[in-house]
Amino acid sequence: MTQVPAPSSSSRRRHDREIISLAVPAFGALVAEPLFVMVDSAIVGHLGTPQLAGLAVAAALLTTAVSIFVFLAYATTAAVARRVGAGDLASAIRQGMDGIWLALLLGIAVIAVTLPAAPWLVNVFGASDTAAPYATTYLRISSLGIPAMLVVMAATGVLRGLQDTRTPLYVAIGGFAANGALNAGLVYGAGLGIAGSAWGTVIAQVSMALAYLVVVVRGARRHGASLRPDAAGIRASAQAGVPLLVRTLSLRAVLMIATAVAARLGDTEIAAHQIILSLWSLMAFALDAIAIAGQAIIGRYLGADDAKGAREACRRMVQWGAVSGVVFGALIVLARPLFVPLFTSDTSVQDALVPALLVVALSQPIAGVVFVLDGVLMGAGDGRYLAWAMLATLAVFAPFALLVPAAGGGLTALWWAMTLMMAVRLATLWLRVRSGKWAVTGATR
């Protein structure tokens, strides 16, 4: 990053307080999201194996469909935070409403595709003949909640941009509790089976969306912001989200290639890979919380025409990311004997798992900095660069990963390729931050 005088201890403490106040609630909200699927799995699992298998297929499809629209949160956070920094709260909320209207339109479009295509999608994902009917039922019903899920994403971005990560945490906790109660009541109390689980999740998601909308609408009325859909604003939100969509799809491609390669290595390797990927994702949630704080803080500083403050905040968050990565890496190494047996008692899976896990531990400091820099550039609205950087990363990673089976490499070699992927991301993001070209000030980029 362009050279900035080292911040004073009081400045560091101020940045630390900001990071903690935003990152800790954000982490809680992020962790609550996968708990929805865990609750559904625990309740549906008692119905039988075909039902659980059907849920697994449908949940994978829904997660994929929704995750590609995560730009609704990221782009909205950056745009709203800039206007907050510029002192124009009415414009900030108006920008947020454009993102929410876009989310609603995209959700309706996804329903229009998913409802008729559900049996075909389930078949493509390889559901067995016994699991397919349950997967189709769950997918069709749950797809009705996709507009609410996307509205939640966009509204979360609005509140993050307004420097509020506590409300999303409270809504996530309430949604999680409601989801568990509704699932249990509808699956067993009402005897609806897997359909009851789907309806319970839809109701919980709609309730969360309504809770967010109440908060946003109150803010809009307080500051005199219009709630009506604005075609130009919605179009601008979509255009801002396209580069982040490309970035997200490229990252999903990396994960899909890694899983496909692991599957080619054998059942033992794919089982071990799934365990590692679960742990890697959990640590990513914690690191992503710092990145979310970065999106909100950087956007606000740049909107306030304070490039120096943005660079100082970036420096401090990079330090946080690096230290967090070192801590997570050490935890993996030290706690390995405790958690590995919890995942599997198969010694062959454990033998494949342990050396690859050590590679993951070594890569955590890199991951810590990568997540932070990703958040900084998102907060700056530098989506176009992020898209090209991730495409370049995919182009480097893919041949190395695909050569692993041909070269006789195993799971450890695959995770070295994943580490290479993170190193390339670090290089591309660090070069951008060092250049200073990301620090464009003003209410809009």
Side-chain angles (χ1 to χ4, degrees), residues 58 62 111 114-115 118 134-147 192-203 205:
L62 287 165
I111 288 179
T114 305
L115 282 178
Y134 297 109
T136 301
T137 296
Y138 190 93
L139 181 59
R140 278 182 165 155
I141 296 172
S142 292
S143 68
L144 300 176
I146 287 178
L192 296 180
I194 195 169
S197 177
W199 279 117
T201 301
V202 168
I203 294 170
Q205 289 161 347

Side-chain angles (χ1 to χ4, degrees), residues 227-393:
L227 297 173
R228 294 179 180 178
D230 176 65
I234 294 171
R235 186 165 54 251
S237 294
Q239 290 171 347
V242 168
L244 293 180
L245 175 61
V246 172
R247 168 215 170 259
T248 301
L249 289 174
S250 300
L251 182 56
R252 295 291 300 182
V254 165
L255 299 177
M256 289 175 65
I257 289 171
T259 300
V261 169
R264 290 179 61 188
L265 294 175
D267 290 347
T268 297
E269 286 74 11
I270 187 61
H273 175 76
Q274 184 58 36
I275 293 171
I276 295 174
L277 199 58
S278 299
L279 291 168
W280 191 76
S281 299
L282 178 62
M283 289 179 289
F285 278 128
L287 297 172
D288 203 29
I290 304 175
I292 286 169
Q295 293 171 31
I297 292 170
I298 296 298
R300 193 188 75 238
Y301 273 115
L302 294 177
D305 293 324
D306 187 359
K308 179 176 179 290
R311 293 189 184 101
E312 287 182 354
C314 175
R315 181 202 295 267
R316 191 58 177 163
M317 281 183 284
V318 166
Q319 293 170 351
W320 271 74
V323 171
S324 299
V326 170
V327 171
F328 290 155
L331 283 174
I332 291 173
V333 173
L334 296 175
R336 187 181 72 250
L338 299 176
F339 67 74
V340 168
L342 295 177
F343 283 100
T344 179
S345 57
D346 188 326
T347 55
S348 62
V349 174
Q350 290 181 2
D351 290 343
L353 176 66
V354 171
L357 203 56
L358 294 176
V359 175
V360 174
L362 289 172
S363 71
Q364 285 308 294
I366 298 174
V369 177
V370 165
F371 274 80
V372 167
L373 295 180
D374 207 38
V376 165
L377 295 183
M378 283 184 190
D382 205 6
R384 189 179 298 274
Y385 182 84
L386 288 171
W388 284 111
M390 197 62 227
L391 284 171
T393 301

Side-chain angles (χ1 to χ4, degrees), residues 33-262:
E33 292 175 12
L35 291 179
F36 271 74
V37 177
M38 290 180 63
V39 168
D40 288 3
S41 299
I43 292 174
V44 171
H46 292 285
L47 293 174
T49 300
Q51 289 90 333
L52 184 59
L55 171 65
V57 171
L61 284 162
L62 287 165
T63 300
T64 301
V66 172
S67 65
I68 63 175
F69 296 114
V70 72
F71 69 84
L72 289 166
Y74 293 159
T76 304
T77 297
V80 171
R82 275 186 177 270
R83 286 163 175 80
V84 169
D88 189 353
L89 287 177
S91 178
I93 296 173
R94 173 65 262 177
Q95 177 73 37
M97 284 305 304
D98 291 335
I100 290 173
W101 280 111
L102 175 62
L104 187 60
L105 292 173
L106 289 173
I108 293 170
V110 173
I111 288 179
V113 172
T114 305
L115 282 178
W120 177 80
L121 290 169
V122 166
N123 183 60
V124 167
F125 260 63
S128 67
D129 291 341
T130 54
Y134 297 109
T136 301
T137 296
Y138 190 93
L139 181 59
R140 278 182 165 155
I141 296 172
S142 292
S143 68
L144 300 176
I146 287 178
M149 295 169 72
L150 299 189
V151 166
V152 165
M153 275 189 181
T156 299
V158 176
L159 295 180
R160 288 173 181 170
L162 293 170
Q163 317 296 296
D164 176 9
T165 56
R166 291 183 180 274
T167 299
L169 172 61
Y170 300 148
V171 174
I173 292 172
F176 170 68
N179 182 61
L182 286 165
N183 269 257
L186 294 174
V187 171
Y188 296 110
L192 296 180
I194 195 169
S197 177
W199 279 117
T201 301
V202 168
I203 294 170
Q205 289 161 347
V206 170
S207 299
M208 290 172 67
L210 291 174
Y212 274 116
L213 289 175
V214 167
V215 174
V216 174
V217 168
R218 283 177 178 171
R221 288 176 175 169
R222 187 181 311 121
H223 297 286
S226 173
L227 297 173
R228 294 179 180 178
D230 176 65
I234 294 171
R235 186 165 54 251
S237 294
Q239 290 171 347
V242 168
L244 293 180
L245 175 61
V246 172
R247 168 215 170 259
T248 301
L249 289 174
S250 300
L251 182 56
R252 295 291 300 182
V254 165
L255 299 177
M256 289 175 65
I257 289 171
T259 300
V261 169

